[in-house]
Amino acid sequence: MMPLTRMQPTEKAEAIAVAASVFMAAGMISVALHTNSVAVLAEGIDTCVDIVTSLAVMIGLRLAQRRSGDFPYGLYKIENLVTVAIGGLILYSAYALAREAINDLLSGHEQINNPGVAMATMAVVAAVTGALAWNKARVGRRENSPSLLADARHSWTDAMASAGIVVGVGLDAVGVPFVDSLMALAIAAILAWSGVQLLMQAVKVLLDASLEPEVIESARTTAEAQAGVRRVVRVEGRNSGSYRFLQVAIVPQSDDLAAAETCARQVKAAIAASVQNVEAVTVE
């Protein structure tokens, strides 16, 4: 892995998450084996999936910045392909957790040993995972990175699931039957919902769905405010990875070709400056 000082902010956020997840996964699986908690084991397995996910995001973030003769417009959509992969991994993780919980329910649940150790472990995991999710979301919003934002959402669900396990283990310790397995099923349901949402968002971008209405409106307002613009006819755009591509059609006030070209350049520069992460603006 390359030094943190040479990484982009998005890559640094994922590198930190990988390092923390390795320790958390090892801790949870070890505690699960000593306590017989299927929910703790489920979350430990899910954290192993998170490690693979974070590594995939890092690779996607690095590849998305490259250009080549075959891809002159960049490989930005690799980030969205990585998001699809993350969604698939989340859905598989949900399936694996649900299967483990159902098997535990059908075979008869064993009482959790040392519930205090399991609760303390999951409380620490919930706090650390929440901090990682917050950092990923912060960097992802600032850098407009879809894959990092997707991973942040996954981490938030993990943090909530870990907090739920603390409650579940506590209830199991006081004699409430099957709550540990039921909590594992709840985790699986949360993960499945998150995975479906991520897949839908990523597929929309891959199919060149329109930009968010607020982004389109911001570009339109900016264009209309420029001197020499009589009317904005149309504003369209699409996402590609972390970047946005906009097409704007205007009617200039002047019929002079040179003046119209100057107006178009002003509109292009203004939109590029006002809308975050714009890779290209085409003005007609």
Side-chain angles (χ1 to χ4, degrees):
M1 186 178 297
M2 67 180 63
L4 288 179
T5 53
R6 296 178 56 190
M7 290 182 174
Q8 298 297 320
T10 49
E11 294 173 313
K12 289 181 182 179
E14 285 295 349
I16 293 170
V18 168
S21 295
V22 168
F23 287 104
M24 289 192 295
M28 283 186 285
I29 292 174
S30 176
V31 168
L33 294 176
H34 286 84
T35 61
N36 293 323
S37 172
V38 66
V40 175
L41 178 62
E43 192 62 19
I45 294 172
D46 181 56
T47 302
C48 292
V49 175
D50 292 345
I51 295 170
V52 177
T53 296
S54 294
L55 291 173
V57 171
M58 291 177 67
I59 294 170
L61 290 169
R62 176 61 58 173
L63 292 177
Q65 304 302 316
R66 295 186 177 182
R67 291 176 181 267
S68 69
D70 293 330
F71 300 96
Y73 297 104
L75 296 169
Y76 303 126
K77 285 189 178 180
I78 283 181
E79 279 204 66
N80 303 108
L81 289 173
V82 169
T83 301
V84 171
I86 291 173
L89 285 171
I90 292 174
L91 289 177
Y92 178 78
S93 178
Y95 161 75
L97 299 188
R99 182 181 61 187
E100 185 71 23
I102 291 172
N103 288 339
D104 191 65
L105 286 170
L106 294 176
S107 62
H109 174 65
E110 298 181 11
Q111 186 72 23
I112 295 177
N113 301 322
N114 299 319
V117 173
M119 293 174 68
T121 299
M122 296 314 299
V124 172
V125 169
V128 173
T129 305
L132 293 173
W134 174 83
N135 187 52
K136 290 177 186 178
R138 177 183 65 85
V139 176
R141 285 192 297 268
R142 189 182 67 202
E143 303 294 328
N144 193 36
S145 171
S147 58
L148 190 59
L149 288 171
D151 203 25
R153 178 180 293 185
H154 185 192
S155 294
W156 278 123
T157 62
D158 287 345
M160 290 186 292
S162 297
I165 291 173
V166 175
V167 177
V169 172
L171 292 174
D172 185 273
V174 297
V176 180
F178 302 114
V179 68
D180 187 53
S181 299
L182 293 174
M183 187 59 65
L185 280 176
I187 295 170
I190 293 172
L191 288 175
W193 174 253
S194 177
V196 169
Q197 294 298 307
L198 291 181
L199 284 173
M200 291 176 62
Q201 291 177 6
V203 169
K204 283 178 64 178
V205 174
L206 291 172
L207 294 177
D208 287 333
S210 177
L211 285 171
E212 300 87 342
E214 59 270 21
V215 175
I216 294 292
E217 185 58 32
S218 174
R220 179 183 294 277
T221 301
T222 300
E224 291 174 341
Q226 302 309 303
V229 175
R230 178 181 300 171
R231 181 166 59 93
V232 176
V233 178
R234 182 181 70 258
V235 179
E236 297 175 342
R238 63 182 177 86
N239 283 305
S240 184
S242 302
Y243 296 92
R244 293 169 173 144
F245 294 76
L246 284 154
Q247 300 85 42
V248 183
I250 63 172
V251 177
Q253 293 179 353
S254 174
D255 293 332
D256 180 71
L257 180 58
E261 289 178 346
T262 299
C263 178
R265 286 195 296 270
Q266 292 174 344
V267 169
K268 180 177 180 178
I271 291 176
S274 64
V275 179
Q276 185 184 27
N277 285 57
V278 171
E279 173 67 7
V281 180
T282 302
V283 181
E284 301 173 355

